[in-house]
Structure formats: structure tokens, C-alpha cells
């Protein structure tokens, strides 16, 4: 692809959820290829900004702190002034909200592109209609569809949202310094470089309808640790603390070697560095799932209320476990029927089998 217009500075407003941010990475790559030589600045909430660190297609990152310095109307005006000073030629909005279009409009960015939704079309110079077809595809294609429309408008072929998810290849870069820092954290808990380490992220910020039961995770991890001679590390954010403590207590009683609970202890970049060293990572459909897959870590993803067709982890080292009952996917935060059978009826033996098969494949 070759650059077809005089665009030198692009502002890219990325999604607000970590998993969505990871799924938008292939579209970021496509945008960079479409406007070869242009400088891309990512505008991200503080908790998603780490996803874009060390990305070769990102020139800089601006944190949008809507709970702090950019809070309220005055905060947004202040942010718009910051952006105006930079002099962006174009704003591309992967994030869906009215707010994204409002800020880029206030910043005086002459070209503003995004999906026509949330009553923001009048603020966009190119409002893209959302087709029924794109809503049925993987979320990664949702972001790529924006770039596909931009390319078509320039008369350029090569970007397409047709085909399988194998063409969506998000990548998160970990520096050697970060990797060493992650290893030092593990060594601080008595783990060695040659230990087989299994990670588990028991939480899901969306809600309980995504969370595999603690007792089931415990059975699966106990069997895997025994089979592989592995140590178990529990990972996640501060919001997962209570759940992680429950899992830790259960695992202490069932494992020969104590598990290590790092939930709420690490930053997101430290979590990434540690996860990149794991031999297996067991997780619900969550931000950590998408991060792990993008790092190339063998990732076993358990789905309950959501659909693997829309948000499966992207990568060639993944295994999916999904019951697909008549009531799922319901896309609810809590089970509307009160039984959570989509997860409770998923036996730990299936998780173990899928994990061992994946471990065997990547170890060949």
C-alpha cells in the first residue's frame, strides 16, 4: 500500500477496554500501512495505554484521564486544546462513544472518521454506517472495517474484513528490560527460570456470567500441576482480589507446592512480561485472555455468557472451551436464569484435556 493523501499526523482514539484495545491492534497495523510514513498518536484511557507501549506503529501515546485532569466539560476542553496544538490532520475513532467525536471536533481536527453511532454523525466528516454483517463478525474485524472503508474511499484494495480470524494478528511487544523485571518478580517468590509455570486469571470485569467457578479452576489446575510438575501463579487486577484469595485458599489445600498470588501486585506491563514467560495460561473471556494470546503464550480460554465467534483470543496458540447451550450466548453480566450452567456444566476434565493438548502442540 502507498500513501495516497497528504496526511502526516493521525490521532487514533482506541477502545476503553483492555481486551478491545488488543483486538484493535490489527486495525492499527492496517492504518499504519495505509498511511505509510504518517505519525500515529494513540489517545487512550490510562488503563489501556500500556497495550500500545513499544508498538512500532505508534509514535506517541496521550492518556485521556477522564477521572482526573480531563474530567468534565472543562477537562475535555483542556484535552482538545492539547490536541489542537499538535495539529493533527486526521482523527480515526475506534472508540464508539459520542465523546470521542466531540473531543476531536473541539480539537479542530479537519478529518474525523468513525462509525455512525451514538448520535455523533454530525461531528464526523466521514461517518461509516455499521452493517448487519460486520456485527456478526469477530470484534477485530469491527475495527478493521473502519480502515477498510478508508482504503476504499482512497481507491486502494488490499484491506478486507472477509475471511477467517487467522488474518487478525495482534502483537504486544515486551522489551528485554521488562522481561527481566518480570522474571525477577517470579524469582522473588522462589520460582526459577526453568520451572514450568501455569498462569490463571480467574476474574472477568464484565461480570460473574463470564467466570468459571473457583472449584472447577481448582480441580483443573491441580490435575495440570500434577501432570506437568508445574507451579501455579494467579494473575489479575485489583478488582479480582477477593476471587483470587478464594482460589489461592483452595489451591493451597490441593497442590503440593503453594500457588503464588500476584493479583493486584503487578502493573499491566509487568503482568504482560510475566505472562509472556508462562507455559500455559488458563483464563475466562477477559482482557488478560486477549493479552496472553497476543503475547504468543499458550492460552486456554473458557467462554460462558459470551460468544467465541465474536471475541475469541487471536493467535495460533489458543484453545477454546465453550458449551454453547440453548441459552448461550446471552451476553449478560449475570446469569438471567440463575444457574450458570454454561460454566458449571463444563467439567474440569475438558479444561485439562484441552490444556495438555495445547501444551503438547507448542512443545514439539
Amino acid at each position: 500500500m502507498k500513501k495516497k493523501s497528504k496526511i502526516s499526523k493521525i490521532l487514533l482514539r482506541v477502545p476503553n477496554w483492555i481486551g478491545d484495545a488488543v483486538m484493535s491492534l490489527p486495525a492499527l497495523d492496517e492504518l499504519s500501512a495505509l498511511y505509510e510514513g504518517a505519525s500515529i498518536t494513540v489517545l487512550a484511557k490510562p488503563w489501556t495505554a500500556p497495550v500500545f507501549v513499544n508498538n512500532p506503529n505508534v509514535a506517541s501515546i496521550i492518556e485521556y484521564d477522564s477521572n482526573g485532569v480531563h474530567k468534565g466539560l472543562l477537562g475535555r476542553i483542556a484535552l482538545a486544546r492539547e490536541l489542537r496544538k499538535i495539529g493533527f490532520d486526521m482523527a480515526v475513532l475506534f472508540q464508539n462513544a459520542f465523546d470521542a467525536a466531540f473531543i476531536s471536533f473541539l480539537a479542530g481536527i479537519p478529518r474525523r472518521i468513525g462509525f455512525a453511532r451514538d448520535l455523533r454523525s454530525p461531528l464526523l466528516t466521514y461517518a461509516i454506517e455499521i452493517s448487519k454483517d460486520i456485527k456478526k463478525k469477530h470484534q477485530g474485524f469491527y475495527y478493521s472495517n473502519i480502515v477498510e472503508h478508508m482504503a476504499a474511499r482512497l481507491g486502494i484494495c488490499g484491506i478486507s474484513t472477509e475471511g477467517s480470524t487467522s488474518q487478525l494478528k495482534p502483537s504486544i511487544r515486551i522489551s528485554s528490560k521488562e522481561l527481566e523485571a518480570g522474571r525477577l518478580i517470579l524469582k522473588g517468590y522462589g520460582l526459577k527460570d526453568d520451572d514450568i509455570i501455569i498462569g490463571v486469571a480467574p476474574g472477568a470485569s464484565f461480570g460473574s456470567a463470564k467466570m468459571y467457578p473457583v472449584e472447577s479452576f481448582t480441580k483443573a489446575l491441580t490435575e495440570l500441576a500434577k501432570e506437568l510438575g508445574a507451579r501455579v501463579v494467579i494473575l489479575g487486577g485489583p478488582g479480582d482480589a477477593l476471587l483470587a484469595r478464594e482460589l489461592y485458599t483452595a489451591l493451597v489445600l490441593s497442590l503440593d507446592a503453594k500457588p503464588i498470588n500476584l493479583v493486584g501486585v503487578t502493573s499491566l506491563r509487568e503482568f504482560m512480561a510475566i505472562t509472556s514467560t508462562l507455559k500455559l495460561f488458563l483464563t475466562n473471556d477477559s482482557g488478560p485472555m486477549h493479552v496472553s494470546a497476543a503475547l504468543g503464550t499458550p492460552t486456554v480460554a473458557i467462554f460462558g455468557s459470551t460468544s467465541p465467534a465474536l471475541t475469541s483470543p487471536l493467535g495460533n496458540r489458543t484453545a477454546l472451551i465453550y458449551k454453547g447451550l440453548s441459552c448461550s450466548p446471552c451476553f449478560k453480566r449475570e446469569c438471567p436464569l440463575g444457574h450458570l450452567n454454561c460454566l458449571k456444566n463444563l467439567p474440569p476434565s475438558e479444561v485439562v484435556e484441552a490444556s495438555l493438548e495445547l501444551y503438547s502442540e507448542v512443545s514439539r
Side-chain angles (χ1 to χ4, degrees):
M1 293 178 191
K2 293 183 179 179
K3 180 179 171 183
K4 295 292 182 179
S5 62
K6 295 179 181 179
I7 299 293
S8 62
K9 294 182 181 180
I10 300 173
L11 179 70
L12 178 62
R13 177 66 169 95
V14 295
N16 288 344
W17 294 85
I18 291 173
D20 288 353
V22 174
M23 288 187 285
S24 76
L25 288 173
L28 166 58
D29 294 341
E30 292 165 358
L31 180 66
S32 178
L34 182 62
Y35 290 94
E36 186 178 354
S39 171
I40 297 177
T41 294
V42 162
L43 179 62
K45 292 294 183 73
W47 52 87
T48 58
V51 170
F52 302 93
V53 171
N54 294 339
N55 190 303
N57 293 323
V58 175
S60 60
I61 300 170
I62 297 174
E63 290 192 3
Y64 174 23
D65 187 5
S66 57
N67 295 321
V69 294
H70 302 133
K71 186 176 182 179
L73 179 59
L74 292 179
R76 284 160 174 76
I77 292 173
L79 174 59
R81 286 174 178 164
E82 292 177 40
L83 301 177
R84 185 183 288 269
K85 289 178 183 177
I86 297 173
F88 290 105
D89 303 302
M90 180 168 66
V92 180
L93 312 180
F94 288 171
Q95 203 261 340
N96 290 317
F98 177 88
D99 185 64
F102 181 60
I103 289 171
S104 59
F105 174 79
L106 285 180
I109 301 174
R111 297 173 181 84
R112 303 177 298 278
I113 301 157
F115 280 123
R117 55 176 298 167
D118 290 55
L119 304 176
R120 66 185 190 170
S121 292
L123 299 177
L124 301 175
T125 59
Y126 181 26
I128 301 167
E129 294 297 328
I130 305 175
S131 68
K132 292 181 179 179
D133 181 58
I134 202 64
K135 290 181 179 180
K136 298 176 183 178
K137 292 181 178 291
H138 191 280
Q139 186 76 10
F141 286 123
Y142 181 84
Y143 304 114
S144 289
N145 192 231
I146 295 174
V147 186
E148 181 181 22
H149 276 275
M150 294 170 66
R153 204 176 193 198
L154 293 172
I156 298 174
C157 298
I159 296 176
S160 176
T161 52
E162 298 300 323
S164 71
T165 56
S166 62
Q167 65 184 294
L168 298 174
K169 298 177 180 178
S171 179
I172 295 174
R173 278 79 170 181
I174 303 297
S175 69
S176 57
K177 186 177 180 180
E178 288 177 315
L179 186 58
E180 181 58 28
R183 286 174 173 157
L184 285 174
I185 291 173
L186 294 176
K187 286 179 181 178
Y189 286 86
L191 294 177
K192 302 184 291 294
D193 287 341
D194 58 352
D195 281 337
I196 296 173
I197 305 173
I198 300 172
V200 57
S205 58
F206 182 77
S208 61
K210 275 189 175 185
M211 297 180 191
Y212 196 45
V214 165
E215 56 270 27
S216 297
F217 261 136
T218 301
K219 290 178 182 178
L221 288 164
T222 300
E223 182 63 27
L224 285 170
K226 180 180 178 181
E227 181 72 22
L228 300 175
R231 296 291 302 275
V232 175
V233 174
I234 307 171
L235 296 158
D240 303 321
L242 290 177
L243 187 64
R245 194 173 301 125
E246 183 182 351
L247 178 59
Y248 174 85
T249 300
L251 287 172
V252 165
L253 298 175
S254 63
L255 294 175
D256 293 333
K258 273 189 178 183
I260 294 160
N261 185 4
L262 295 181
V263 170
V265 174
T266 62
S267 67
L268 181 53
R269 291 298 297 186
E270 289 171 336
F271 162 81
M272 292 174 178
I274 290 169
T275 301
S276 70
T277 69
L278 301 176
K279 298 302 183 183
L280 274 174
F281 187 69
L282 276 59
T283 173
N284 303 306
D285 175 17
S286 62
M289 175 194 75
H290 291 289
V291 170
S292 176
L295 289 167
T297 300
T299 304
V300 180
I302 302 169
F303 278 74
S305 67
T306 50
S307 168
L310 301 179
T311 58
S312 61
L314 299 170
N316 56 8
R317 291 184 159 195
T318 63
L320 299 176
I321 302 176
Y322 177 58
K323 272 298 181 185
L325 303 181
S326 59
C327 57
S328 61
C330 67
F331 301 105
K332 302 295 185 182
R333 293 178 182 271
E334 297 180 2
C335 178
L337 302 177
H339 53 57
L340 203 63
N341 285 344
C342 59
L343 291 171
K344 287 184 176 179
N345 288 355
L346 200 165
S349 59
E350 287 190 23
V351 177
V352 172
E353 182 180 358
S355 299
L356 291 176
E357 184 176 342
L358 180 61
Y359 179 82
S360 177
E361 286 177 4
V362 301
S363 299
R364 289 172 189 163

